[in-house]
Amino acid sequence: MALMNIPVNMQGYKLMITEAPAMKMKENEKTGEMEPVTDRKTGAQQFVVSLFAKKRPQPGEFAGKGEEIKVTLTVDPGEGFEEGTYVQLVDATTSPWQNEKNGRYSSGISFKADGLTPLG
């Protein structure tokens, strides 16, 4: 059984929006048209935001490089979340995934949160 929705603590990271939140879309395999992604259980519209995550250095530590991550949001985050805004994630989780398409395998980690909170 795969682990899903593992709680993740991002308090030790600075999170800056690199792409403002938008409706999450996917291509319909039958029609080729783009359509909104909804939650399988609730039917609620999903959103996605791109963040640059960089570790907050502790005294005497080097901060290191950061990483851009995409986070699926379970609700519309509302207004005021523009590129360059620093945020915190509300109830963030991560889930490993894998799939196979046309004999090609891919895997990774997906991030999900119940919302965004602006910092500052």
Side-chain angles (χ1 to χ4, degrees):
M1 182 171 149
L3 294 174
M4 300 298 289
N5 301 322
I6 303 163
V8 62
N9 181 347
M10 300 293 286
Q11 294 298 317
Y13 288 81
K14 291 189 287 184
L15 304 173
M16 184 183 72
I17 295 176
T18 57
E19 288 182 33
M23 272 195 276
K24 189 171 185 179
M25 305 293 281
K26 70 175 180 179
E27 184 178 346
N28 181 310
E29 292 182 16
K30 294 178 183 176
T31 66
E33 293 183 25
M34 298 302 286
E35 58 186 31
V37 175
T38 55
D39 184 273
R40 292 178 189 152
K41 294 178 184 174
T42 66
Q45 175 67 52
Q46 303 287 285
F47 294 80
V48 66
V49 63
S50 292
L51 303 173
F52 186 75
K54 186 169 183 172
K55 185 176 180 186
R56 294 179 191 273
Q58 298 302 312
E61 282 185 351
F62 177 68
K65 295 186 178 189
E67 185 75 32
E68 187 171 43
I69 60 173
K70 286 195 181 276
V71 180
T72 297
L73 303 172
T74 60
V75 296
D76 183 347
E79 298 295 318
F81 294 103
E82 308 301 324
E83 186 176 323
T85 304
Y86 285 91
V87 296
Q88 285 184 315
L89 297 173
V90 177
D91 295 329
T93 60
T94 186
S95 297
W97 60 268
Q98 62 183 6
N99 63 28
E100 181 270 330
K101 187 173 183 178
N102 300 326
R104 297 188 74 168
Y105 293 86
S106 54
S107 62
I109 297 173
S110 64
F111 291 89
K112 187 180 258 190
D114 290 337
L116 297 173
T117 301
L119 290 179

